[in-house]
Amino acid sequence: MSGRFVVVNNSSAPVYAFVSKYSYAQGSDAWYSIPAGAADVWARDNWELIAFTIGDDNRAGVYVKVNKTVIYNSISDLVIVN
């Protein structure tokens, strides 16, 4: 495994994040809580779907190439950076 995604919660409330496992079958695609101001890292090797929910029916996601950082500011404000 040589790649990764960094997922940052830049909001003032916890958010749940999901990273698909298309490129890494052994990985988990469960929803994980990321506290406000925190970050988490997922090991993957290629394009993956990264999605967010705030615990209700509101969800948003992006399809992202490996070795990117996805910043969650709000359910309608996701930013992808190198």
Side-chain angles (χ1 to χ4, degrees):
M1 186 67 27
S2 61
R4 66 187 179 104
F5 291 99
V6 178
V7 177
V8 178
N9 180 359
N10 197 35
S11 75
S12 60
V15 67
Y16 288 93
F18 158 96
V19 178
S20 62
K21 58 180 187 173
Y22 301 123
S23 68
Y24 185 56
Q26 300 86 344
S28 174
D29 58 2
W31 289 96
Y32 288 92
S33 179
I34 301 178
D40 209 342
V41 177
W42 277 265
R44 298 292 191 269
D45 276 333
N46 211 332
W47 288 85
E48 298 290 348
L49 171 66
I50 300 176
F52 299 91
T53 185
I54 51 178
D56 56 15
D57 207 22
N58 288 321
R59 292 183 182 181
V62 289
Y63 193 57
V64 186
K65 189 174 181 178
V66 71
N67 295 323
K68 301 289 183 185
T69 297
V70 178
I71 302 169
Y72 172 90
N73 293 306
S74 72
I75 204 74
S76 61
D77 184 3
L78 308 177
V79 178
I80 302 166
V81 296
N82 287 336

